[in-house]
Structures are given as C-alpha cells and as structure tokens.
Amino acid sequence: MMKGRTTMEVGADGVAVITIINPPVNSLSLDVLQSLRASFDEALRRNDVKAIVVTGAKGKFSGGFDITAFGGIQKGKTESPKRGYVAVEVLTDIVEAARKPSVAAIDGLALGGGLEVAMACHARISTSNAQLGLPELQLGIIPGFGVRGSEAHDLGLVDAVVPANELLSTARRWALEIVERRKPWVSSLYKTDKLEPLGEAREILKFARAQARKQAPNLRHPQVCIDVIEEGIASGPRAGLWKEADAFEELLRSDTCKSLVHIFFAQRGTSKVPGVTDLGLSPRRIKKVAVIGGGLMGSGIATALILSSYPVVLKEVNNKLLEAGIGRVKANLQSRVKKGKMTEEKFGKTMSLIQGSLDYDNFRDVDIVIEAVIENVSLKQQIFADLEKFCPPHCILASNTSTIDLNLIGEKTRSQDRIVGAHFFSPAHIMPLLEIVRTQKTSPQVIVDVLDLGKKIKKTPVIVGNCTGFAVNRMFFPYTQAAMLLVEHGTDLYKIDRAITKFGMPMGPFRLVDLVGFGVGIATAMQYIEHFPDRTYKSMIIPLMQEDKRAGESTRKGFYLYDDKRKASPDPELKKYIEKAREISGISVDPKIANLPEKDITEMIFFPVVNEACRVLAEGIAVKASDLDIAGVMGMGFPPYRGGILFWADMLGSKYIYSRLEEWSKQYGGFFKPCTYMAEKAAKGAPLSSGPMEQAKSRM
C-alpha cells in the first residue's frame, strides 16, 4: 500500500506547487507531514523558488489528521509524535515562519489539520463550495466548527473565492504578489485585528463556558478548548500553542475521545457485511420508488426519498388519507423552507417528484416498494401478495415493520428472495438510522441495492437478522421495563428520567413512552411478552392509565402533563396508578430502591439493555458489536461520547456487569438474569464486544 506523500513542482514563474497526496481525502498521516516538511525545506533551499502554493490532489485540499493514527496511539500500538511536533515544529516554525510566502489553494475540503495547514500559510484562496472546518470536537479533542468557502471569505478566514478552474493560477499570482509586497504577508498566529481587549474577551469566553456546560454537561473537551483560546489571548500565541499541544495529548487518551473515535469508524463500518458486500456485486440503479401508506412513517420515508431526488408514488386506500399523506410530506418540506434550509424554487421541484395513487397501476415500473402500513399481519400479507402481481420481477419488496417476522409477511408470495426489511425510525426524514433486515432467503443483490439506497438518502444503514424487534427495539425493550420495575419497587419516576437524561440520553424512559404513545407501547410490549416471557417485566401502570383515557403526549396526559407548547410537567395524580399497580403485582416499596443513587438507577436501567445486546450478538442477529453501538446511538440517542452500548459496557467490564445483574436477579427476578454469553465472557474477563466464542447460529 502506497504511503501518503507530497510532491513539488516548480514552474517558470518561480512558484513551487506542493501537492498533498493521500487518497481518498488527502489525510495528514505522519508520512504526509514529514514529506510536507521536506518539500518546504527544499523549496526554501532552492534559489529558483520565489514563493510556495500548497494544494491537495484530485480537488480535495485535505480531510485532516489521519484518524486511524489516533486509534493506534490510544491502544499503544503507535508511538505518539513528540510534543508539539505538528502544531509548533511543522506548521508554525517551518510553514508559517518560512522566509518565502506560501498560499493555500483550497478546493473540496480543508478540515481539521487540513485547515490548520491552510491557516499556517500566509494567504488562502478557496472555491465557493469548499468545506472548511475544525470538526475535532466530534472526536473528543479540540477545536470545532465548519463553514463553506464563501462564508469563510465573509469571516476573513480566506482571502479570495474563485472558480475551481482559476484556483491554482490565482494562488500562484497571489503568492508572487506577496513577494513583491503588493499583497500583505500575514502570519495567522499573530493576527489580532478580530480580538477584543482582554477583559472583554474573558467575558465572552465566560459566556461560552456557560453555554458549553449547558449543551454538553458531561463533556470536558469543549471547556478545554475555551481554556486554550484564553491562554493564547492572555499569554500570547506560542503559549496558546503549547497549551493546545499538551491538552491534545491528554484528551487523545480520554474515554470520551476513545468512544468518539470508535463511533467514527463503527459508522463507516456498518456497510461492510461478510458474504454480501465482498462478492463483487454492484448496486442496481433505483429510478422510481413506491411507498404504501401515507401515515407518519410513510410520509416521512417519502420525504427522505424526494429530498434525495427519487421520484415517489405514494399509495393510500382513499382520497382523504392520500391528501393527508401528501399534506404531511408538504409540511415536512415547508418546515425546511421556514428554517432557511430550502428555497421556494427547490420546494416546488421536490414536491413535483411525488405523485399520489389509489391503486397499483403506477407500480409497473417501480424498482423498490416500501410498505409502511399499520402493524397488522393479514393486511401486510395481502399487500405483498398484490405487489407480486403488479410490480416488475426485479422490484425489491421492502417492509418498514418494526416487530413482525418478515417470513410471515411474505408467506403468501413466491418472492422471498426479494423481500427485505427497511426499518426507518420516526421521524423518518430526520432520524439517521436505517435497519436493513434480511431473512435467510433475502438475496445478497437485494441487500447491496438497499444499502446503496440507504446511503443515497443520507442514512447510516445497519444490516440485521430477522427476529422480534430486530436490533434497536430488541436491545432496548428492557429499557422501559426496567424503569417500570424500579417505580413499582419505590423509585420516583421523575428521578429516573432526570438520572437518564443526566447520563446523556435525549429523554428518560417515561418521557419517551409519552412521546411514542401508550398504544404503540402496549402493542410492542405484547410482542416481547409472547416471544421472551422469561425476561419480560409485566407492569400494569400503563394499562391502568389507559383506562383513564391517558395515552401520552397526544392526549396531553401521560406520565407527564403537557401544555399547548408540549412542555412537560410532573403529575401528582400518578401516585394512585403506581399504588394500584403495586397492589396487582403484590409488590411493596423497597426502601433501598426508593433511595437509589443516580449511578445505580443508570446501571439498573442500562445493564438489562447490555444483557439483551449480548443475546442479539450471540444469536448472530448483528454482524458485529460495533453495528449495535451505532444502532443504539442513531436509533435511540445513546450518547455517542460513551461509544455505544457495548463499548460503554466494556469500559465498565464484563465481570462487574455480570455480578450486578446476578445480584439483582436474586432479589428482583428473572428480568435481570445474565444471559449465557455474558456469563461466558465474565468468567474469562473478556470484552462483551469480542463476539461469540464459536460460530453463532445465525438467523441472517
């Protein structure tokens, strides 16, 4: 494998063009940085070189530091570069301090370290669509923001914006004009024209600290980023650089950075599926999509498709429902217009891609159908039997079911090889996850096609096997049930929601049940009672509340009370339902559970989820543990800075989790009983994410 490098060509005009080459995004590995340093040394040595232009090969300046190197350093496999090697030695003391001027010619992207290289140059010329940003906060290090080339020009980050075909010639001319003193020779490190006086700057940073604490209370690195900025303002740029170098080293080894780097690679690894994506199959082109059902899910799926320029046929059973479905799609797009994310012209063009239908006449040339009707087995079976008659033989038949066995859905067809699950999460045009569910009969070509479609509509696809709840809902079914168990044994439900949101979830289990609605909650719970009776906790709290016409947020009364603006507030009336449920279950308040600290609440809610994730992995429902980490982060909002459910569990250790579950199962029953897979891993002190000992009986 060829190492990353830079090349240098000197033109007749005396400008040395140094090009960064490290496909696919010209990332800055240590090899590239050493080569960049050598190229600069040579350019400075040569008498025929008057000025320097730095650019990237194939229309991309640089995607930043090589993140694979982070993982190597964190695991102790790669030696860390010496303190300050990149920021001080290469970028400041060689590039910025060079006695010949350099200009960065930016196209495509200049992210992270790539933008830092550009900022070390004495001027920056960019194309209008180039992406400039410092996204490292997403990896648990510093710093973080991002803009387009045109906006970067307005901010003063780049000096000129030009078309791509004029980029190099403009940069060369600019570099020579710096030599001739017709353009300013500026060292970015010493630019202070946009800095406020120290006292004022400190007030701004104090406000920024408070904002960061509010938005990311569990994260330290945004605060460190502000500390580094303050050091640079108060003690001068070099002091700031050294503080940044030390902070970077420390943060690189933090749990947060390890977790976020894991998520970065796990997200990119979900589309690698042994026995499917390694067969050399190319995805077939999908030219037209049909969606059956214009409810919340169907309209969201249709929105996601037309936003990525796919023509869509939306089918409903009558005009009233069809108009409502098209209306939902329209409202989804209008919301984007209101937020300034879409122009009126684009809105019109996008809406023109959807057509309504009350029959299957328009299905004769569709390449994929996504069924999104209510969870009713006989209805879905009838639809799939009809689809087989009306759709072309190559057409993929997909269901958005969240619980029903796909084999059952396709039972009355002879097309099992093209039946697949395409499980979106609500709202489908916003939530980033797509579970692609395969049965033992689904053909690899169909999976490759749906993977490609998923990526094109900007989803992260995860391949899972066919079982009740698939990956996300199956893993997280104990999440709400554990919360119910705790409440019946004496924990205050609002304390549970507070503890879980403090841990980093977008909302606690009770707020989530209100949002989803009690009807959906009970329907899915029935599936788990039927399929996993040994470990399902049956609580009467929700059925009792339902009897009193409470259904969650939609009725303004659930576990919380809701005002006109959907603001939730606690409801003192809930005590009567909880007490009645305790009577039915024959449970009395346990003083220990009533006074649980937040750490114990979090563990009693999430360790059963970890336990179920282990079963999903052991049964071969998931391809790999990292897929379950991504599924939990993108489907349920598990905090990415904790690395996903199994990555987080491995930080705590399999022995610890096993011992806690074992202890609780003796006190509170089979709901907490550790599964065999966990017991095996704990006995050996092995990571839970290491996969089954022997080839699991795969349901894929």
Side-chain angles (χ1 to χ4, degrees):
M1 192 177 180
M2 191 181 281
K3 286 181 176 180
R5 67 194 197 285
T6 61
T7 59
M8 187 174 89
E9 286 180 24
V10 181
D13 56 359
V15 176
V17 176
I18 296 173
T19 305
I20 300 166
I21 305 170
N22 193 12
V25 293
N26 298 326
S27 58
L28 301 173
S29 60
L30 213 49
D31 299 322
V32 170
L33 288 163
Q34 284 162 348
S35 182
L36 178 69
R37 180 182 182 162
S39 294
F40 256 84
D41 284 342
E42 188 189 340
L44 296 174
R45 224 176 25 247
R46 283 174 59 162
N47 294 330
D48 59 338
V49 173
K50 297 178 193 169
I52 299 160
V53 166
V54 181
T55 192
K58 298 195 174 169
K60 294 185 180 92
F61 186 79
S62 171
F65 293 120
D66 184 2
I67 297 165
T68 49
F70 289 179
I73 294 166
Q74 287 167 345
K75 290 168 187 164
K77 291 178 184 173
T78 313
E79 201 178 318
S80 181
K82 73 176 184 189
R83 177 177 176 256
Y85 173 75
V86 178
V88 182
E89 202 171 309
V90 177
L91 298 185
T92 304
D93 292 348
I94 291 177
V95 177
E96 192 162 43
R99 62 183 189 279
K100 294 176 184 178
S102 59
V103 175
I106 303 164
D107 195 8
L109 37 84
L111 300 174
L115 182 56
E116 289 181 47
V117 169
M119 287 163 75
C121 295
H122 304 110
R124 284 149 297 285
I125 314 297
S126 167
T127 58
S128 61
N129 289 326
Q131 274 182 291
L132 292 86
L134 299 168
E136 291 97 326
L137 283 181
Q138 292 169 25
L139 295 171
I141 45 178
I142 52 177
F145 69 89
V147 292
R148 290 269 172 203
S150 47
E151 195 184 339
H153 183 240
D154 295 340
L155 292 168
L157 181 60
V158 301
D159 298 278
V161 171
V162 297
N165 61 347
E166 294 172 24
L167 182 63
L168 269 182
S169 58
T170 307
R172 298 180 89 112
R173 201 162 55 246
W174 200 288
L176 290 170
E177 286 179 352
I178 295 175
V179 175
E180 293 157 7
R181 294 289 191 260
R182 286 190 289 153
K183 285 272 194 288
W185 187 321
V186 180
S187 292
S188 301
L189 194 61
Y190 296 94
K191 269 185 89 169
T192 57
D193 58 309
K194 288 185 182 289
L195 288 182
E196 292 78 4
L198 183 58
E200 201 180 319
R202 282 199 158 128
E203 281 304 307
I204 292 167
L205 293 172
K206 187 178 168 185
F207 176 72
R209 273 197 187 89
Q211 289 289 95
R213 255 193 303 275
K214 191 176 168 188
Q215 288 172 10
N218 295 336
L219 299 179
R220 185 170 155 258
H221 61 283
Q223 299 293 335
V224 173
C225 182
I226 296 166
D227 292 344
V228 168
I229 293 167
E230 185 164 5
E231 179 75 7
I233 295 169
S235 309
R238 283 191 84 82
L241 277 180
W242 284 114
K243 188 172 179 75
E244 179 185 87
D246 291 341
F248 183 90
E249 279 299 311
E250 187 190 337
L251 290 170
L252 188 59
R253 288 168 172 79
S254 68
D255 285 350
T256 298
C257 183
K258 286 173 187 170
S259 298
L260 290 168
V261 167
H262 168 71
I263 289 294
F264 178 88
F265 287 112
Q267 190 178 345
R268 282 147 186 79
T270 61
S271 52
K272 293 187 177 104
V273 186
V276 174
T277 55
D278 52 4
L279 300 178
L281 296 168
S282 296
R284 294 174 294 183
R285 189 165 161 234
I286 290 172
K287 299 187 281 291
K288 185 176 173 185
V289 184
V291 176
I292 301 178
L296 195 63
M297 284 308 296
S299 59
I301 294 166
T303 306
L305 288 159
I306 60 173
L307 278 171
S308 293
S309 305
Y310 283 99
V312 170
V313 177
L314 182 66
K315 182 187 178 300
E316 258 299 356
V317 290
N318 60 44
N319 267 318
K320 190 182 171 188
L321 290 174
L322 184 59
E323 280 172 25
I326 300 277
R328 286 187 191 96
V329 174
K330 197 173 181 180
N332 290 339
L333 296 185
Q334 278 169 336
S335 157
R336 292 176 72 84
V337 175
K338 270 184 204 159
K339 290 173 186 166
K341 291 181 179 177
M342 181 180 259
T343 62
E344 285 288 352
E345 186 192 359
K346 180 76 175 156
F347 167 80
K349 276 185 182 168
T350 308
M351 272 310 292
S352 72
L353 288 169
I354 191 163
Q355 63 174 125
S357 180
L358 297 174
D359 52 41
Y360 291 108
D361 288 351
N362 294 320
F363 281 52
R364 298 193 187 279
D365 60 345
V366 297
D367 301 302
I368 179 170
V369 179
I370 302 169
E371 166 273 307
V373 302
I374 56 168
E375 296 285 71
N376 177 306
V377 176
S378 55
L379 174 62
K380 287 179 191 279
Q381 286 179 334
Q382 183 57 56
I383 287 169
F384 274 71
D386 290 342
L387 291 175
E388 196 174 42
K389 288 179 210 156
F390 291 100
C391 299
H394 74 274
C395 178
I396 297 164
L397 309 178
S399 174
N400 178 55
T401 182
S402 56
T403 50
I404 301 170
D405 187 325
L406 288 171
N407 291 320
L408 201 56
I409 290 173
E411 199 174 64
K412 296 183 176 173
T413 73
R414 292 184 305 282
S415 305
Q416 276 93 346
D417 61 329
R418 54 189 175 121
I419 290 177
V420 69
H423 181 219
F424 291 79
F425 290 76
S426 186
H429 58 296
I430 293 169
M431 291 293 278
L433 186 69
L434 171 62
E435 277 184 323
I436 299 173
V437 188
R438 58 175 174 176
T439 70
Q440 287 178 321
K441 292 175 182 169
T442 311
S443 81
Q445 181 65 60
V446 164
I447 296 161
V448 167
D449 295 343
V450 182
L451 266 172
D452 186 58
L453 177 69
K455 286 182 188 169
K456 283 182 175 154
I457 60 171
K458 301 176 178 62
K459 303 294 177 197
T460 296
V462 173
I463 308 282
V464 295
N466 186 26
C467 72
T468 302
F470 313 132
V472 177
N473 290 338
R474 162 90 184 268
M475 275 195 299
F476 277 85
F477 89 81
Y479 177 68
T480 311
Q481 292 185 7
M484 296 291 177
L485 183 148
L486 288 182
V487 166
E488 288 197 1
H489 285 81
T491 315
D492 174 66
L493 77 88
Y494 301 115
K495 186 181 177 185
I496 292 172
D497 271 8
R498 282 196 301 274
I500 297 303
T501 46
K502 205 168 168 185
F503 174 80
M505 293 296 282
M507 60 186 77
F510 295 104
R511 181 68 187 83
L512 180 66
V513 172
D514 274 2
L515 181 67
V516 171
F518 290 4
V520 173
I522 286 181
T524 50
M526 295 307 288
Q527 290 279 337
Y528 299 117
I529 288 167
E530 184 188 335
H531 291 95
F532 313 124
D534 58 318
R535 58 181 187 275
T536 301
Y537 185 76
K538 303 170 196 70
S539 167
M540 287 301 292
I541 297 176
I542 291 180
L544 288 168
M545 289 166 73
Q546 244 191 341
E547 279 176 20
D548 268 5
K549 303 285 185 286
R550 285 176 179 253
E553 194 181 306
S554 62
T555 56
R556 295 206 188 173
K557 273 189 174 185
F559 287 101
Y560 292 82
L561 296 174
Y562 296 89
D563 64 16
D564 295 349
K565 292 178 180 170
R566 292 177 56 203
K567 190 172 187 297
S569 55
D571 184 358
E573 270 192 37
L574 279 183
K575 282 180 184 163
K576 67 180 184 188
Y577 302 108
I578 295 165
E579 281 162 12
K580 180 82 172 150
R582 279 187 196 130
E583 267 177 53
I584 295 167
S585 305
I587 291 169
S588 53
V589 171
D590 177 342
K592 189 180 164 194
I593 294 287
N595 296 298
L596 272 184
E598 284 184 343
K599 175 181 175 283
D600 288 23
I601 290 173
T602 303
E603 291 182 354
M604 288 185 89
I605 298 281
F606 280 112
F607 285 5
V609 176
V610 172
N611 202 19
E612 201 59 36
C614 286
R615 288 189 179 96
V616 171
L617 194 57
E619 290 169 22
I621 299 298
V623 177
K624 50 194 177 294
S626 58
D627 285 357
L628 294 179
D629 287 335
I630 288 295
V633 166
M634 296 196 159
M636 278 297 290
F638 190 85
Y641 55 81
R642 297 194 189 277
I645 193 75
L646 287 170
F647 190 88
W648 170 72
D650 280 341
M651 282 187 170
L652 299 174
S654 55
K655 282 186 175 176
Y656 175 69
I657 296 174
Y658 173 80
S659 67
R660 295 290 275 165
L661 285 168
E662 189 66 26
E663 178 195 333
W664 299 329
S665 70
K666 285 171 187 161
Q667 292 171 300
Y668 308 108
F671 173 76
F672 287 109
K673 182 135 187 67
C675 66
T676 310
Y677 175 93
M678 183 178 278
E680 286 172 0
K681 296 294 180 190
K684 297 187 175 181
L688 297 172
S689 59
S690 55
M693 306 283 178
E694 55 201 60
Q695 192 56 44
K697 183 187 172 194
S698 177
R699 296 196 191 180
M700 289 196 161

